[in-house]
Amino acid sequence: MSTAPLTIPGQFADRVDHHEARPMLLYGGDTLTFGDIHRASVSLARWLLDQGLQQGDRVLIVLENSPELVISWLGVATAGGVSVPTNPGYTAREIETLVETASPSLAICSVELRHRLPADLPCVCVGDGRTDGRVHASFAEAVSASGRRGLPTVDAEDPASFVFTSGTSGAPKAVVHTHQSYVLTGQAFPSWLGLSDRDVLYTCLPLFHINAQAYSLMTSVCGGTTLALGRRFRARTFWREIRATGATQFNAIGAMLMILLHRQEAPAPGPRVCYSAPAFDPELHRSIEDRFSLKLLSGYALSECPFGTITPLTGDPGLGSIGRPRFDPEMRFVNRLRLIGKDRGEVPAGAPGEIALSNPVIMKEYWADPIATDAALRDGWLYTGDVGRRDGSFLYFVGRETEMLRRRGENVSPVEVEACLQGHPHVAECAVFGVPSKLSEQEIAVAVVPAVKRFDAFELFAWTSERLAPYKIPRFLALVRELPKGPTEKVVREQLAQAWIDGELRTIDREAARRAHPSRSGHETVKRTRRR
């Protein structure tokens, strides 16, 4: 393990000393070495300092996955600044909200997106084209300038980057992560997956999110692996990019693997290991491994802490679980996990409780939000708002506290129901959500993206009844072309629930059909939902 400081520039400089000529970044047929990326990021850092950037100043970055985004993120860290990478799909209003929170002194964005940024924010633009006259410089000028300022000394506890939460339970919050958070994660990730510096890591996940930053980019910075970067996830080109880059590992989230599973194409040859979240049903987990001839590891983490849990590489895989607490390979600290009940005490084995984590990789704070920070961070512990349960040494994810459903006196986890439905071969994607019930509490509804043209809803209901208790089986089913998702690919259940209330979803009512036709099991009875 490197003896360099636990800072991003310290680790990167140490890696360049050992791997200067080795490929660091593969993108769109181009290859950039560790030396190439380091020289460009240092030049950008010096240019930023020449423009008056002070340590701790925020720099907004509005770019799609690209070498420029990698260089910008590393360059800002080298200058002692704080990166604020932002979803390039955001509207001007959404970006304005983030700017009000972060108060950046400068922005780096593409020429095409300049008009979405506040007019008074100085901007470095990537790409050619006409600008509105408010551009400070082009990106090419910034990375080729001969800066005069010396680079600052950065401390491990200094903020390095903001990661905005998905905002599915309120306005997005700016999670502040330190240099140490990123370095410890980048050093540990290869140990969890059995990677060496000869591996090629592929990611098409957005670099404005913690997954691609901490696991993919920082593994390259700390471990010397080559990073193959995709612009975004496209199922029809995914395996082509994997083969072209020679990737041996990739990360997946959400429905990526399910979408790939339902396509005819498969990698030949392909990567040997994949890290994915959330966990799959054991039968589906095995199907994915068999189809793609790889080892699939499941884990749990969140924007506030990338050091959650992971299934083991060897031994009992704990299929269906989210594994055990992640470990630091040098045993410099212990990653502690508790499940907390309503009385704030730990729950017994098998009982659900809020997941709490304690380690040096939890966030520093929510920027400019002391109330939310105090609610999440207490006595050295991060209270995640997620619910899990223990079975032996393994942890199983139950769901978000705010997303748990209550049906006829029973708590229902949408995640559990989705994991079951997702195992049906005719389901490409699905999302479970609660809707109002005449009997009080909630009814369970599910939106399904079908994997076949002729979809039999009642065959799915029958299949589900063999695997779930009756109170967990959805009453309403809607077939949709796609699911509404946020910037981090999480399904926005609230939008589905609102669409149901507004009568915008054509749904199949399982109970109404059963009452009307007790003997029918495979025919759809379609009912237009109305506001209740």
Side-chain angles (χ1 to χ4, degrees), residues 159-231:
S161 189
F162 286 4
V163 178
F164 279 93
T165 62
S166 59
T168 54
S169 58
K173 297 185 286 290
V175 175
V176 181
H177 274 295
T178 65
H179 285 256
Q180 175 176 270
S181 290
Y182 284 107
V183 171
L184 291 175
T185 306
Q187 289 179 345
F189 190 76
S191 299
W192 304 333
L193 275 69
L195 305 174
S196 74
D197 62 2
R198 295 298 175 182
D199 279 292
V200 177
L201 280 56
Y202 175 84
T203 190
C204 55
L205 303 180
L207 277 167
F208 59 76
H209 190 240
I210 191 70
N211 186 305
Q213 292 173 10
Y215 299 150
S216 300
L217 177 55
M218 284 306 299
T219 294
S220 181
V221 169
C222 296
T225 53
T226 298
L227 174 61
L229 185 64
R231 194 172 185 89

Side-chain angles (χ1 to χ4, degrees), residues 25 27 32 37 41 44 59-77 83-88 108-110 126 139 143 161 205-209 212-213 217 227 229-231:
L25 186 66
Y27 180 83
L32 295 172
I37 299 290
S41 60
L44 177 61
V59 177
L60 184 73
I61 303 175
V62 192
L63 296 170
E64 291 192 330
N65 281 5
S66 59
E68 290 84 1
L69 176 47
V70 171
I71 292 166
S72 296
W73 196 82
L74 293 171
V76 171
S83 292
V84 186
T86 303
N87 187 348
I108 302 174
C109 75
S110 66
V126 175
F139 187 81
V143 298
S161 189
L205 303 180
L207 277 167
F208 59 76
H209 190 240
Q213 292 173 10
L217 177 55
L227 174 61
L229 185 64
R231 194 172 185 89

Side-chain angles (χ1 to χ4, degrees), residues 213-287:
Q213 292 173 10
Y215 299 150
S216 300
L217 177 55
M218 284 306 299
T219 294
S220 181
V221 169
C222 296
T225 53
T226 298
L227 174 61
L229 185 64
R231 194 172 185 89
R232 63 176 70 90
F233 174 66
R234 295 189 182 93
R236 63 184 177 84
T237 62
F238 184 84
W239 295 123
R240 191 186 313 161
E241 291 186 15
I242 290 283
R243 289 191 293 270
T245 58
T248 57
Q249 185 274 337
F250 70 95
N251 288 359
I253 59 172
M256 284 174 56
L257 289 173
M258 292 304 304
I259 293 170
L260 294 170
L261 190 64
H262 286 99
R263 294 181 64 85
Q264 294 299 314
E265 186 182 11
R272 72 174 192 278
V273 62
C274 168
Y275 169 77
S276 180
F280 292 100
D281 171 85
E283 184 177 344
L284 183 56
H285 185 112
R286 294 188 190 96
S287 297

Side-chain angles (χ1 to χ4, degrees), residues 373-393:
T373 299
D374 290 343
L377 299 177
R378 300 195 297 275
D379 301 321
W381 289 82
L382 169 67
Y383 289 78
T384 65
D386 291 326
V387 179
R389 63 175 176 84
R390 279 197 180 93
D391 187 350
S393 63

